[in-house]
Amino acid sequence: MYSQALNTKDTAAADASPDADRFQARIDAEERIEPNDWMPEAYRRTLIRQISQHAHSEVVGMLPEGNWITRAPSLRRKAALLAKVQDEGGHGLYLYSAAETLGVSREELTDQLLSGRAKYSSIFNYPTLSWADIGTIGWLVDGAAIMNQIPLCRCSFGPYARAMIRVCREESFHQRQGYEIMLTLCRGTPEQKAMAQDALNRWWWPCLMMFGPPDTESAHSDTSMRWKIKRFTNDALRQKFVDATVPQGQFLGLTFPDPELRLDEASGHWQFGTIDWDEFRRVLAGNGPCNRDRLTARQKAHAEGAWVRDAALAHAAKQQRKAA
Amino acid sequence: MATTSITIDETPRIRSFLALADDALILGHRTSEWTGHAPTLEEELALANIALDLIGQARALYQATGYAEDALAYLRDPPQFRNALIAELPNGDFAFTIARLFLVSAASDLFWRGAMGATDPDLAAIAAKAEKETAYHVRHAAEWLIRLGDGTDESHRRAQEALDTLWPYTGEITASVDREAWLAVVAPILARATLAQPAESWMQAGGREGRHTEYLGHLLAEMQILPRSYPGAAW
Amino acid sequence: MAEGRTPLWEVFVRARNGLAHKHVGSVHAADAAMALQAARDVYTRRGEGLSLWVVPSNAIVASDPSDRGMLFEPTGSKIYRHPTFYEVPEDVGHM
């Protein structure tokens, strides 16, 4: 579903070797880098970190929405939600595959997630409290994801770009699914409309945080831009998202929980209030409402699956011995 | 206080469609509970595919009764559900889930194959689609059961326990097919899995008449909460 | 006991008859039969294919990118292999 601009400090050493110059020239010429090509170590590290964070986000992202699969209010909604959450698992898998081309294994990456060393998008540390949250996640969280992921289809690293093309193609229904839920609620009973408004109130600001810290605070972003891993800054994407989303919310008849939100006629952009970056840092640091639950759920699934994975390997080994 | 429950005029045709649909819905629902918690990411996707197939089958069958699919799924009380008891048992561990999926799918597949030639055109059309889906469920569950049975001591123990627990619930699912034909599908897989086939003895029953286990009420309470809490609302 | 590594398989899908199998990604599975099922469940959920191949990732032998010049550049100068190298008067028609 989403890779957050979480890029922690990794000041790429300004490598001045001839290899590095050739590498940068290829990037500048919009050539794609493939797994076996020479690449600066910092490029490899940045990609492994970003792709695996993205993969972890997809996998952890199954949990908040998965919370409503058994309570989806119609069979049509149940099938759509299950298919969507399944897609997120699939996207995690495509992304782990892309990361593995860089010489890191799925087991190592999983271990990084489960041990709490790896980060994932902060948005999934918020709870899904009503059915309207499912609509809101599709509409806003997937909407934000699309803003971020479309440019990643042109990322300089071939396997990541190819995985993102597949992800974007599959995700095209996710946001529509969410918006349709919101539309139905907003046209429904007063209780349903209140449910929708409450969900927007809770999710709006965390969604704006999904784009990561403001450009003034993310110096490392320059390197990612130079390497064409990233093509737009956090603030540029955030603005694009707000501009696209506000009219959609108005169509629903909902009120955004931001008294400062207003259209700037001169620029055509929606101006919004100040984001609570303390909350963002708090959630990233592990103190969001659901950080512990999310990680525990993944740890439990992994631990309880160990005997299953062992059994499959043991059977395969027996078959190989028989064949030998 | 007025109830939100609906009443159904259960003709024999509707009753037989409900039995099939409820089997698919309840097992699909149980399977969907694995989402986010499966032993591997690959298996997450496999189980979701199976759950989606089953929910799709349930919808097609409900629609063929002439009643609204959501009214049937969300506004009937436990005694109005016609599913076999085996479908509603909690998932247990992965061995239990796989063993149940295998035993149920093997029976469903036989049923759908026969129903492809049914005179009821709705049933024949649904069967043509469902048979292909169910054939894959049999394949997937069988491959896993073989690995769990043959894999490690622990996986063997869990698979055998699951099989022993489930066996008394298989009478209901083979009532509409030839049990010997079903055994002919099941036995070779159990043999490859090095699992002992439980003895044929007392079989649990009652699901088709609406006498369920304690588990179905909880499942439905969760599944039906929104339509029950907001009568008449559209979602 | 440290958990063993589940092997990696590369997945190739034939979208329809007449087309070649195309690489789409990878899956982890303990053996070939499970790898095929995983490939089916992961990569063909939207009617993407009619045929699947799975190949153990470690069975793929790849050319070294640093050999790219030696392997692939010499071919660039063999322009006589291409039809446009030859001049045929337009009056002759399509050839």
Side-chain angles (χ1 to χ4, degrees), chain B residues 67-80:
Chain B
Y67 286 88
E69 59 175 35
D70 287 331
L72 291 171
Y74 291 93
L75 301 178
R76 279 182 300 151
D77 293 330
Q80 292 174 286

Side-chain angles (χ1 to χ4, degrees), chain A residues 70 77 86 106 309 315 318, chain B residues 36 39 42 49 150 222 235:
Chain A
T70 54
R77 296 280 182 225
Q86 180 196 42
R106 170 100 66 91
R309 298 186 297 272
H315 172 78
K318 284 185 195 175
Chain B
E42 281 77 1
N49 276 340
D150 179 60
E222 182 176 346
W235 300 94

Side-chain angles (χ1 to χ4, degrees), chain A residues 70-79 82 85-86 90 106 131 184 192 195 298 307-309 311 314-315 318, chain B residues 29 35-36 39 42 45 48-49 51-52 59 70 74 147 150-151 154-155 158 222-223 226-227 230 234-235:
Chain A
T70 54
R71 288 176 291 169
S74 74
L75 295 182
R76 179 173 176 269
R77 296 280 182 225
K78 195 194 239 354
L82 178 52
V85 177
Q86 180 196 42
R106 170 100 66 91
W131 175 248
T184 309
Q192 287 177 305
M195 207 183 266
R298 289 309 307 166
W307 68 268
V308 176
R309 298 186 297 272
H315 172 78
K318 284 185 195 175
Chain B
H29 183 96
T35 310
E42 281 77 1
L45 276 87
N49 276 340
L52 285 168
R59 293 182 65 188
D70 287 331
Y74 291 93
R147 280 153 187 79
D150 179 60
E154 181 180 7
S155 68
R158 287 174 182 264
E222 182 176 346
M223 187 175 90
L226 283 172
Y230 300 89
W235 300 94

